[in-house]
Amino acid sequence: MGVRVLVVEDESRLAAALQRGLTAEGFVVDTASTGPSGLDAARHGGYDAMILDVMLPGLSGYEVVRRLRAEEHWLPVLMLSAKDGEYDQADGLDCGADDYLTKPFSYVVLLARLRALLRRGAPERPTVLTVGDLRLDPARRRVTRADVEVVLTAREYALLDYLIRRPGEVVSKTELLDHVWDGGMRTAPNAVEVYVGYLRRKIGRDRLETVRGAGYRLAT
Amino acid sequence: MGVRVLVVEDESRLAAALQRGLTAEGFVVDTASTGPSGLDAARHGGYDAMILDVMLPGLSGYEVVRRLRAEEHWLPVLMLSAKDGEYDQADGLDCGADDYLTKPFSYVVLLARLRALLRRGAPERPTVLTVGDLRLDPARRRVTRADVEVVLTAREYALLDYLIRRPGEVVSKTELLDHVWDGGMRTAPNAVEVYVGYLRRKIGRDRLETVRGAGYRLAT
DNA sequence: GAAGGTGCTGTGAAGGTGCTGAGGACGCCA
DNA sequence: TGGCGTCCTCAGCACCTTCACAGCACCTTC
């Protein structure tokens, strides 16, 4: 007997597509189209995993997971949500979901994540990274300095993210270009200098040391 | 013998669920239900990790970690807390916890984080090269002499890096030109002499011996 | 002791390295 | 369409590093 998956999704076209696709992969799929009916099915249906939309009539996806967890049902939950900004990924994970996908998503990615969940491997949300009074929360994509939020652009954030995982170590421009920028993109090394400059203005000039001829170092 | 985990949680249903789940995963699990008893068990039980609720009778989870850390117990701690706003994630991390989960949480996520914590147990200590009171840390690209930082230029650093890996051995100028300078560049051997001079001024005159007609040797 | 070899160091030129402000390209949104 | 934010390039500048050179000190050899 196959692996049983519950799909809770009110958009009937998407629900049907998922059911078809997952069935073709060998899963046994049931669907529900409202919050309450999904919750009920999850409680009693003996499923191995649940794919759960956030926007549902009757009860939101968040609420469904929250109630399940409160009742100590540990069914793996993969949440789906439109990227409308109102809700974000951190909310989804905070309410007890195991993984999270933003619409529009790739079916292949969904499948991969579902399989990972079934293997009991929730994606690890990294801890909040801290260096001095600088704090970076990857799940929320938030950076604070002395508890004051610092607003960073995508690139600035990616740069800080890379550096803060190796505090005190010297990281070369080439390495940064490879990992923070797209390695194949042939961005000029000067871009690194420019963004180091931006970052310094936001997190403090002395926090990011230049090691001439070698790279940059986040002061510990 | 398995990995030993201590669960400190006063809600008995959750404690039981965790014990059951973690045991099924192969962990050896003990539980405590109050702050003081948890602290005591953590001190003396030889656990590999602790899962610790914040709200506990007798002594809060924060206080438990704080006291453990004050006594220099570095047991990995995963904190659990209700997201009621009064306490937040930062508090948990600030008081010395290693990771933090907000209730309601996903069991799979808890498992993933716990495993991450146990893995992280052995923090990677990059090699530091030492000769006498001279220390060179390649990752941080930092050189200290009697614990005082010595600031080196790129070339000086490269030279010292090369020499410190062969302490006590005589290294010829040609070899240095080949490895520290670009071998093809046809730099005059005098450059080596110049940089040996620079280095001597910074790390101490007697640390770098001249072997006339043969090369240089880093005194051990 | 003279002569030549070897190594040391101060000077200064050349060029390298990094920082910054300006501004173009692009995508997004109203 | 225009305004805005972001990304990134470019050019100019300031500063630092590197290295050649030359003069000198010292050692070795004869």
Side-chain angles (χ1 to χ4, degrees):
Chain A
M1 157 143 174
V3 176
R4 307 193 59 213
V5 176
L6 173 64
V7 173
V8 187
E9 169 61 66
D10 65 329
E11 252 181 82
S12 60
R13 272 188 24 210
L14 178 55
L18 285 177
Q19 181 159 41
R20 213 174 325 114
L22 294 174
T23 305
E25 292 293 327
F27 294 103
V28 177
V29 181
D30 291 337
T31 60
S33 59
T34 70
S37 65
L39 179 58
D40 209 52
R43 274 182 184 137
H44 308 296
Y47 294 99
D48 298 297
M50 168 160 65
I51 296 174
L52 178 64
D53 195 9
V54 167
M55 301 288 267
L56 286 172
L59 209 58
S60 80
Y62 295 136
E63 199 51 40
V64 171
V65 195
R66 203 184 313 279
R67 294 199 188 183
L68 275 178
R69 298 313 188 213
E71 294 163 18
E72 286 162 31
H73 281 84
W74 303 114
L75 177 70
V77 172
L78 174 53
M79 291 261 265
L80 303 181
S81 132
K83 184 188 185 176
D84 58 5
E86 187 188 349
Y87 300 123
D88 80 345
Q89 185 162 349
D91 291 333
L93 293 169
D94 279 349
C95 76
D98 297 281
D99 200 355
Y100 198 94
L101 271 182
T102 305
K103 292 182 188 175
F105 53 82
S106 134
Y107 174 67
V108 179
V109 169
L110 178 135
L111 210 57
R113 303 271 192 104
L114 179 61
R115 292 221 162 95
L117 270 187
L118 289 165
R119 274 199 310 272
R120 289 241 131 159
E124 282 169 27
R125 183 173 73 160
T127 319
V128 174
L129 303 157
T130 310
V131 169
D133 65 354
L134 208 61
R135 200 173 281 151
L136 182 145
D137 183 339
R140 292 163 199 277
R141 205 199 157 285
R142 265 177 53 124
V143 175
T144 58
R145 173 192 173 194
D147 291 325
V148 179
E149 173 151 20
V150 179
V151 179
L152 299 179
T153 70
R155 191 70 73 191
E156 289 161 3
Y157 176 84
L159 176 58
L160 181 58
D161 183 299
Y162 194 79
L163 290 168
I164 208 172
R165 286 168 200 273
R166 320 229 333 239
E169 282 183 43
V170 172
V171 182
S172 74
K173 275 184 237 185
T174 329
E175 187 177 344
L176 290 171
L177 281 173
D178 281 351
H179 292 96
V180 175
W181 278 259
D182 185 347
M185 272 319 214
R186 292 230 173 281
T187 317
N190 176 251
V192 179
E193 294 159 18
V194 171
Y195 276 84
V196 164
Y198 294 158
L199 213 44
R200 281 187 174 138
R201 280 170 219 172
K202 294 187 177 181
I203 66 168
R205 196 136 291 272
D206 47 338
R207 281 239 170 48
L208 201 40
E209 300 169 1
T210 302
V211 183
R212 230 178 133 73
Y216 297 94
R217 175 167 52 196
L218 194 67
T220 50
Chain B
M1 157 145 173
V3 176
R4 307 194 57 212
V5 176
L6 174 64
V7 173
V8 187
E9 167 63 64
D10 64 330
E11 249 182 84
S12 61
R13 269 188 28 204
L14 179 55
L18 286 177
Q19 181 160 39
R20 213 174 325 115
L22 293 174
T23 305
E25 293 294 326
F27 294 103
V28 177
V29 181
D30 291 337
T31 61
S33 60
T34 70
S37 65
L39 178 58
D40 210 52
R43 276 183 183 135
H44 308 297
Y47 295 99
D48 298 297
M50 167 160 65
I51 296 174
L52 179 65
D53 196 9
V54 168
M55 301 288 267
L56 287 172
L59 209 58
S60 80
Y62 293 137
E63 199 50 39
V64 171
V65 194
R66 205 185 312 280
R67 295 199 188 180
L68 274 179
R69 299 310 188 218
E71 295 163 18
E72 314 213 339
H73 281 85
W74 303 114
L75 179 70
V77 173
L78 175 53
M79 292 261 267
L80 304 181
S81 131
K83 186 190 184 175
D84 57 6
E86 188 188 345
Y87 300 124
D88 83 341
Q89 185 161 348
D91 291 334
L93 294 167
D94 280 349
C95 75
D98 298 281
D99 201 354
Y100 199 94
L101 270 182
T102 306
K103 291 182 187 176
F105 53 83
S106 141
Y107 173 68
V108 179
V109 169
L110 177 135
L111 209 57
R113 304 265 196 106
L114 179 61
R115 293 215 163 100
L117 223 53
L118 289 164
R119 257 205 315 281
R120 225 186 301 146
E124 40 186 298
R125 176 64 37 93
T127 12
V128 177
L129 304 159
T130 310
V131 168
D133 64 355
L134 207 61
R135 218 187 305 249
L136 183 146
D137 182 336
R140 295 166 190 278
R141 204 192 165 288
R142 202 155 240 168
V143 175
T144 58
R145 173 192 172 193
D147 290 325
V148 179
E149 173 151 21
V150 179
V151 180
L152 300 179
T153 71
R155 189 75 69 191
E156 290 160 3
Y157 178 86
L159 176 58
L160 180 59
D161 184 298
Y162 193 81
L163 290 169
I164 208 171
R165 288 169 197 274
R166 324 236 322 246
E169 279 181 53
V170 175
V171 182
S172 74
K173 276 184 236 183
T174 333
E175 186 177 345
L176 289 172
L177 281 174
D178 281 350
H179 291 96
V180 176
W181 277 259
D182 185 347
M185 270 321 222
R186 299 267 223 103
T187 317
N190 174 252
V192 180
E193 294 159 18
V194 171
Y195 275 85
V196 165
Y198 294 158
L199 213 44
R200 281 185 174 139
R201 281 170 221 173
K202 293 188 176 179
I203 65 168
R205 196 136 294 272
D206 48 337
R207 281 241 169 49
L208 202 39
E209 299 167 1
T210 303
V211 182
R212 232 183 133 76
Y216 297 93
R217 174 169 52 198
L218 193 68
T220 51

